[in-house]
Every structure is written in structure tokens, then in C-alpha cells.
Amino acid sequence: MSFQNTMKALADPTRREILNLLKSGEQNAGELCEHFDMTAAAVSRHLSVLKEADLIRDRREGKYIIYELNASVLEEILLWLTELKGE
């Protein structure tokens, strides 16, 4: 995990909203696109940034790509923040 890539990915409100949507379960790109007023290509770019930061995982099911949250990276960030805070 690159901490810099993770923080860059989390800095964008659209990417944070995608993570919020995925916390309730897996979704394909089309389902995610329905929540945003932007092109599918723009949502796809946000998904790529999240994937590069290892915040999400994807897999192909037929003609669909299914995305899911990778909570282990978020747990590592929370652990680091807790240690930084001194708790």
C-alpha cells in the first residue's frame, strides 16, 4: 500500500462517496454511476484511482465488473491515525 496514493484517493469527495456506497455491499460500475451526475468515464477514472490505492477490489462476472470495499487498507490507516494520536 502506498500511503500517498491512499490519501490522494481519499481526498476526493466523489471517491469517498463511492466508498460509502460500497460499504453496504458489492456493486457493478453501472449501479455506481447511477448515484453521480457525471459520465461513466469519469466514474471509471475514480474507480481506477481507488483500485490503485487498494481501497477497492474488482472482479469480472460475465460482462460486468463487480466492485467491493477493501476494508483492510482503511483499518491500516485507522491504526496509523490512532498511533499518531497516541492512544
Side-chain angles (χ1 to χ4, degrees):
M1 168 184 82
S2 165
F3 189 74
Q4 184 174 356
N5 285 347
T6 303
M7 297 309 280
K8 175 186 167 190
L10 291 172
D12 186 274
T14 300
R15 292 192 280 269
R16 290 194 306 268
E17 181 59 24
I18 291 171
L19 294 174
N20 276 325
L21 291 168
L22 291 174
K23 76 180 179 183
S24 62
E26 301 173 340
Q27 294 187 42
N28 65 47
E31 292 168 327
L32 291 167
C33 284
E34 292 174 1
H35 297 276
F36 300 98
D37 186 26
M38 63 181 68
T39 66
V43 173
S44 179
R45 178 64 190 139
H46 285 295
L47 290 168
S48 292
V49 172
L50 290 168
K51 189 175 170 189
E52 289 169 15
D54 205 26
L55 290 165
I56 62 172
R57 296 184 186 119
D58 68 346
R59 71 177 187 285
R60 182 166 291 281
E61 283 189 10
K63 65 179 183 173
Y64 298 102
I65 298 176
I66 308 298
Y67 294 92
E68 66 179 338
L69 187 63
N70 181 8
S72 64
V73 172
L74 296 172
E75 290 168 357
E76 289 178 36
I77 292 169
L78 287 172
L79 179 62
W80 177 77
L81 289 171
T82 301
E83 290 172 357
L84 184 64
K85 189 176 175 186
E87 293 181 5

